[in-house]
Amino acid sequence: MPVIGWDLGGVHVKAALVRDRRVVAVVQVPCRLWRGLPALDETLAQLPDWARDTADHVVTMTGELTDCFAGRTDGVRQISAWAEAHLSGRVRIYGGRSGLLAPEAAAAQAGDIASANWHATAALIGRHVADGLLVDIGSTTADLIPIAAGAPVAAGYSDAERLETGELVYTGVVRSHLVALADHAPFRGRRTGLMAETFATAADIHRILGDLPEGADQQHSVDLKGKSIPESETRLARIVGRDRDEGSAAEWRALAAHFAERQLRLLHDAAALVLSRQALPDGAPVVVCGAGRFLAERLAARLGRPAHAFTDLIAGHLAEAGADWASTCGPAVAVALLAADPT
């Protein structure tokens, strides 16, 4: 029976199909879970046929923190029940340090299940790298997880704990608001304050800089308009109280680069904190994955460590075609491979 790994989030659903311990297909689609649990039904209908076939389903999640639920335990319970009711075949829930759990046991183990997708990726990497730092930068958040002796050794586990330890940074390359990166920016020789509005997001700056991967931005823009570079420049200009025609393409690119640098500094500060607590050998690599792996590679260079791509580590488990999204959907791939080969 094939294994399908799921990462059920509040903004995206990711799925990975594994046959004979090889990843043969990976997909990510948007999900409006904040509107309620029926959004998962809508998303499931959009997925390829294989996602609805009978399989051994293994589910990790971050959607439990979506505000349509009363709290994380309620979210874990409802999402687990949805998976059991709508996925054909055996369904198990990834509980991180508690292993794979039956859906009916999910509520009792909600603390271990909630947002434990980082644990799956780190556990899989530990099978290939004895010591290293996982840096998974997604559309909304970044995980920085130390791995030692082949196992994740994060000081925190829950979102709250990992925000305190630097192992979770709420910044990503698509959905993060620019006013969360800085309160001022240089423009035409002046230090200008920023408009504290959701005029632009990280997707705009990384699109202007030419770094955002094709297809990574699956959400609508904040002004519900297009995603061309001129349209991204228009949104960016509003942050400094300007219209696009008040600056040149070079000036908007320089402003975008400033915000990208501020985002990298946030990640560098977090990595310094993590590495000051968990000493890794000098040659221990940074393992990069996620839609923002380009940013993770820059962080590795700033840390003076080699960057190893997650997909290179698991290349022996990737089919020649159909796994283009394996890095962006790392946790879905990880839970599927961990379940397919539990040893």
Side-chain angles (χ1 to χ4, degrees):
M1 183 179 293
V3 178
I4 299 179
W6 296 87
D7 187 0
L8 302 181
V11 178
H12 300 104
V13 165
K14 304 171 184 179
L17 173 64
V18 170
R19 296 184 187 276
D20 299 323
R21 301 182 183 179
R22 289 177 67 80
V23 181
V24 297
V26 186
V27 65
Q28 172 183 285
V29 292
C31 178
R32 300 178 293 181
L33 186 55
W34 63 89
R35 295 189 173 185
L37 204 61
L40 287 173
D41 300 336
E42 299 172 5
T43 299
L44 184 62
Q46 300 172 30
L47 291 168
D49 290 342
W50 55 259
R52 293 179 293 276
D53 289 343
T54 300
D56 182 5
H57 298 275
V58 185
V59 177
T60 187
M61 66 184 74
T62 59
E64 80 288 337
L65 56 80
T66 308
D67 50 15
C68 68
F69 302 120
R72 282 177 169 79
T73 298
D74 178 50
V76 167
R77 179 185 59 79
Q78 290 201 48
I79 291 173
S80 299
W82 177 91
E84 185 175 34
H86 290 81
L87 302 180
S88 177
R90 180 168 67 161
V91 176
R92 291 175 289 170
I93 309 299
Y94 185 76
R97 57 194 176 190
S98 292
L100 297 178
L101 304 167
E104 57 270 21
Q109 299 293 330
D112 287 347
I113 294 168
S115 298
N117 60 350
W118 61 271
H119 189 282
T121 310
L124 181 64
I125 289 171
R127 293 184 175 186
H128 302 273
V129 172
D131 301 290
L133 178 67
L134 163 62
V135 178
D136 182 352
I137 303 176
S139 64
T140 311
T141 62
D143 294 309
L144 291 83
I145 310 300
I147 297 164
V153 287
Y157 190 91
S158 68
D159 282 350
E161 291 169 348
R162 296 194 306 118
L163 284 168
E164 294 171 345
T165 61
E167 292 157 346
L168 171 61
V169 183
Y170 241 84
T171 194
V173 295
V174 176
R175 300 181 65 243
S176 294
H177 297 149
L178 301 189
V179 290
L181 303 177
D183 59 6
H184 66 275
F187 188 77
R188 291 191 169 176
R190 291 177 179 265
R191 180 184 183 274
T192 180
L194 305 182
M195 290 191 168
E197 298 281 357
T198 56
F199 284 137
T201 65
D204 292 311
I205 64 169
H206 294 303
R207 186 180 296 114
I208 291 169
L209 296 172
D211 293 324
L212 193 67
E214 185 69 27
D217 183 5
Q218 296 184 331
Q219 304 299 316
H220 59 71
S221 62
V222 290
D223 60 1
L224 302 180
K225 295 181 180 178
K227 297 178 180 178
S228 67
I229 289 179
E231 287 165 314
S232 288
E233 291 172 345
T234 296
R235 289 187 286 269
L236 177 61
R238 293 188 179 119
I239 289 288
V240 290
R242 304 271 183 169
D243 290 331
R244 176 174 173 263
D245 60 9
E246 294 183 70
S248 66
E251 286 172 321
W252 300 130
R253 184 178 177 86
L255 184 59
H258 171 76
F259 283 108
E261 169 62 22
R262 291 298 295 258
Q263 189 172 42
L264 184 56
R265 289 181 198 173
L266 286 178
L267 295 165
H268 192 185
D269 287 348
L273 176 61
V274 172
L275 292 173
S276 73
R277 183 174 52 246
Q278 179 63 50
L280 296 175
D282 291 341
V286 173
V287 180
V288 302
C289 68
R293 53 193 173 274
F294 65 90
L295 198 57
E297 290 170 352
R298 292 174 191 164
L299 176 60
R302 187 161 291 191
L303 294 172
R305 292 181 178 273
H308 291 178
F310 169 69
T311 47
D312 287 345
L313 295 183
I314 63 169
H317 296 285
L318 295 179
E320 294 181 2
D324 294 342
W325 283 88
S327 181
T328 297
C329 303
V333 171
V335 291
L337 289 175
L338 289 170
D341 184 8
T343 60

